[in-house]
Amino acid sequence: MKNGIDIGAWEDFPDKEIVRVEVGGTVLGVCRWGELIYAFRNACPHQGAPLCSGFMQQNVSAEMVAGDVSMLTREEVPVVLCPWHRWEFNLEDGSAAWPGFKMRTYRATRESGRVLLHFGRK
Amino acid sequence: MPANPNTLEHPIIDVDVHQRWRSPEEVVDHLPEKWRSYATGRTGGKTTALMPAGLTYPFHRGVNKRLEAVPEDGKGTSFPLMKEQYLDRYPSVEVVNLTFDIGQEVAQRNPEFSAALTTAMNDWVARTWLTYDPRMRTAIVVPTELPERAAAEIHRMAPNPKVTGVLIAWNPFGKPLGHPVYEPIWRAAEEEGLPIIIHGAAGETEGGLAQTTAGGLPGSRLEWHTLLQQPTLAHLASFVVHGTFEKFPGLKVLVLETGLAWIPNFFWRLDAHHQEMRAESDWVRRLPSEYLRDHVKFSTQPFELTPRKEQLIEFFEAFGGMDQLLCFSSDYPHWDADDPFYVASRLPKEWLPNLFAENARSMLRLLPVDSEQEVHA
């Protein structure tokens, strides 16, 4: 897919770090998680916090195993942790645990060693 | 071995020798991933305090602050960051009422040290933060375990026009605050026209030296934070039943950071039960809720998150008069701080002038201050 906006080389985005990128007056967080790359609006849908000051981390939940709870970490499900109320947002679709609040996400792709941003519908 | 080691005839078994990690990382790095990431702060360090249980609950990501409000060196709070992230962003902020980092340091085993510490803390804020910006005002801390000393500290600090109220940061006796032992403090506050400010349930929050919640100490910050209103209910009921507002008719109480939706429940129950049990106290000559509406106001943070904002508004409108009881508070730079526009978006527009300014103006002591003149107590 061409016609994305070139926002830098792949190497400009260190693994598991949020990089603040300004595109046409809009501030975005762009972050790599291994070979995947994500982009989101730098505003928490809850109270507008600057999400770029938060953290990327793997999803942590728990499951019942043989009648006891067992911690479940899912490396394949990265989330952004909000710097204010510590809400977590799924980087794939922006969803949060609390209904009605969704982080705005954008599609980012890797093309020939460059990172492209796509503002259209995901 | 040294050339001439000291030897004893008998072997030694030393049963008490201590060791400590040089930094928390040495321990935290051995934790499972979940707790390691929980404890990692914005500045990269594993900043969760490894303190005995009862002193505190660890904070998610190691600090009690918004992550971007933590200075680069990880130390304390920063006025330049406050200016950039709060004052410049919301230029209509007219007054910032400082309340320390909740003032929990007052909770000391040694009351003399507590008294010395409160004086030092009050002098510190007068010398530093009150001089940084003309909008800065402050609550003062007092040694509540020594009520007469606390009264003296109130009278010492009251001439400073930037002092707005008296922060009750600790309940050392574990008695609800209507107990007569505290009356010297209320008398001094009333004489100086300063409200009592109860933050986070009067300091039963941290410090581990008094009851945090009814029913036993909770095992997590989630429980503690949700239950923070409990001691506040005990104090307000105590003020009414033991006549604090009859004895000190000019005394005002500002309740900070305990949420809001419990207020109708509490007022309704107190009024109803008073009808049944009024013989217990001669001090209660009016409906309990009338005393509370006359003397008490509540800060908005942490603002309850209901699935639909109309649900909370409908509840408050059924209660009535809530627009007279609420004072906006952000709680900046703490992790659970509320954005002013967010709070404004969740309540009726016609409530906002009272909520954002007028109610606080009727509660805090806000004296005119020459902004060019630095004031030292």
Side-chain angles (χ1 to χ4, degrees):
Chain A
M1 163 89 60
K2 297 293 178 189
N3 71 21
I5 300 168
D6 188 327
I7 56 172
W10 180 258
E11 292 74 28
D12 294 338
F13 298 91
D15 193 23
K16 296 180 180 171
E17 284 185 24
I18 300 173
V19 178
R20 193 176 182 279
V21 176
E22 190 166 340
V23 181
T26 301
V27 178
L28 307 172
V30 179
C31 51
R32 266 183 56 206
W33 187 261
E35 293 305 304
L36 302 171
I37 190 153
Y38 299 97
F40 55 87
R41 188 171 164 230
N42 183 37
C44 178
H46 176 209
Q47 296 200 22
L51 291 171
C52 287
S53 296
F55 280 88
M56 284 185 88
Q57 59 186 45
Q58 60 190 336
N59 177 273
V60 179
S61 58
E63 60 180 354
M64 289 293 287
V65 176
D68 200 1
V69 285
S70 174
M71 190 173 69
L72 181 66
T73 55
R74 292 194 290 170
E75 177 73 15
E76 75 283 7
V77 184
V79 300
V80 170
L81 182 88
C82 177
W84 290 8
H85 296 86
R86 316 307 201 237
W87 284 22
E88 294 172 22
F89 297 94
N90 186 308
L91 274 162
E92 282 286 350
D93 62 9
S95 59
W98 189 268
F101 290 93
K102 196 168 181 180
M103 178 176 73
R104 179 71 167 93
T105 57
Y106 304 92
R107 196 160 64 88
T109 56
R110 179 184 188 176
E111 314 250 349
S112 306
R114 307 293 298 177
V115 175
L116 302 184
L117 185 72
H118 309 268
F119 271 119
R121 292 177 68 86
K122 288 185 78 178
Chain B
M1 293 287 283
N4 296 301
N6 293 320
T7 58
L8 286 177
E9 188 177 341
H10 304 288
I12 299 170
I13 298 175
D14 183 340
V15 298
D16 189 26
V17 179
H18 302 281
Q19 83 283 24
R20 185 176 174 85
W21 45 87
R22 284 166 48 79
S23 74
E25 282 91 336
E26 294 175 36
V27 175
V28 173
D29 285 347
H30 289 281
L31 291 171
E33 164 61 22
K34 170 184 172 174
W35 295 112
R36 252 184 298 141
S37 60
Y38 185 89
T40 301
R42 175 176 162 268
T43 51
K46 312 293 193 295
T47 52
T48 285
L50 297 175
M51 298 291 284
L55 292 183
T56 187
Y57 298 93
F59 283 97
H60 200 165
R61 287 296 175 177
V63 287
N64 66 342
K65 307 292 188 301
R66 289 179 172 180
L67 297 175
E68 81 280 15
V70 178
E72 282 305 315
D73 63 5
K75 294 178 180 174
T77 64
S78 150
F79 176 72
L81 285 180
M82 176 188 281
K83 187 169 183 308
E84 175 193 331
Q85 297 170 358
Y86 189 63
L87 296 175
D88 290 351
R89 191 170 175 194
Y90 308 106
S92 54
V93 171
E94 183 182 300
V95 171
V96 168
N97 188 45
L98 299 167
T99 51
F100 296 90
D101 202 0
I102 77 171
Q104 61 177 322
E105 298 81 1
V106 172
Q108 294 292 332
R109 301 283 186 194
N110 183 333
E112 293 292 334
F113 179 55
S114 175
L117 196 55
T118 55
T119 296
M121 289 168 69
N122 293 330
D123 287 346
W124 168 80
V125 72
R127 281 196 315 270
T128 55
W129 283 77
L130 289 185
T131 68
Y132 293 165
D133 188 284
R135 289 165 285 192
M136 296 291 160
R137 301 289 185 279
T138 194
I140 57 168
V141 284
V142 292
T144 39
E145 194 170 6
L146 300 172
E148 296 293 349
R149 292 277 291 274
E153 183 66 9
I154 290 170
H155 293 308
R156 185 182 80 88
M157 290 300 296
N160 186 328
K162 294 189 176 184
V163 168
T164 59
V166 180
L167 180 64
I168 302 303
W170 186 29
N171 174 18
F173 303 118
K175 295 280 188 187
L177 295 180
H179 192 283
V181 71
Y182 289 115
E183 287 178 4
I185 307 176
W186 313 152
R187 184 175 296 110
E190 184 191 42
E191 285 172 5
E192 298 291 358
L194 294 167
I196 296 303
I197 300 177
I198 299 177
H199 182 288
E204 287 131 323
T205 55
E206 312 277 342
L209 300 180
Q211 298 95 334
T212 302
T213 56
L217 289 175
S220 69
R221 185 169 287 279
L222 168 59
E223 296 160 87
W224 169 81
H225 199 253
T226 306
L227 300 171
L228 195 51
Q229 67 227 34
Q230 288 189 351
T232 303
L233 270 71
H235 298 321
L236 294 182
S238 176
F239 281 145
V240 171
V241 174
H242 298 282
T244 306
F245 298 131
E246 288 284 349
K247 298 171 192 171
F248 308 105
L251 186 68
K252 294 180 284 186
V253 177
L254 177 59
V255 173
L256 301 185
E257 197 160 351
T258 46
L260 303 172
W262 57 271
I263 295 169
N265 162 285
F266 175 64
F267 280 37
W268 283 328
R269 282 175 66 94
L270 203 52
D271 281 355
H273 291 180
H274 168 249
Q275 297 303 310
E276 299 153 2
M277 293 177 253
R278 58 190 302 170
E280 279 186 317
S281 173
D282 293 334
W283 287 111
V284 190
R285 300 183 301 113
R286 301 156 60 199
L287 275 178
S289 66
E290 291 177 20
Y291 289 104
L292 296 172
R293 286 183 187 271
D294 283 352
H295 290 268
V296 184
K297 297 197 190 301
F298 304 85
S299 79
T300 52
Q301 182 274 343
F303 198 84
E304 267 91 354
L305 181 59
T306 47
R308 288 186 300 107
K309 69 177 184 181
E310 293 78 13
Q311 294 165 321
L312 198 60
I313 294 170
E314 286 166 10
F315 182 50
F316 287 165
E317 284 180 339
F319 175 59
M322 205 64 174
D323 58 319
Q324 303 292 319
L325 292 178
L326 304 184
C327 300
F328 170 74
S329 62
S330 72
D331 194 39
Y332 177 92
H334 283 171
W335 68 278
D336 53 340
D338 279 333
D339 179 89
F341 287 96
Y342 170 78
V343 173
S345 76
R346 306 287 292 190
L347 288 170
K349 272 187 186 161
E350 56 272 24
W351 292 19
L352 303 185
N354 279 345
L355 182 141
F356 275 100
E358 298 313 316
N359 291 344
R361 229 186 281 285
S362 74
M363 176 60 56
L364 298 176
R365 190 187 74 162
L366 295 174
L367 298 176
V369 170
D370 178 357
S371 61
E372 299 301 313
Q373 183 185 352
E374 288 191 357
V375 180
H376 297 274

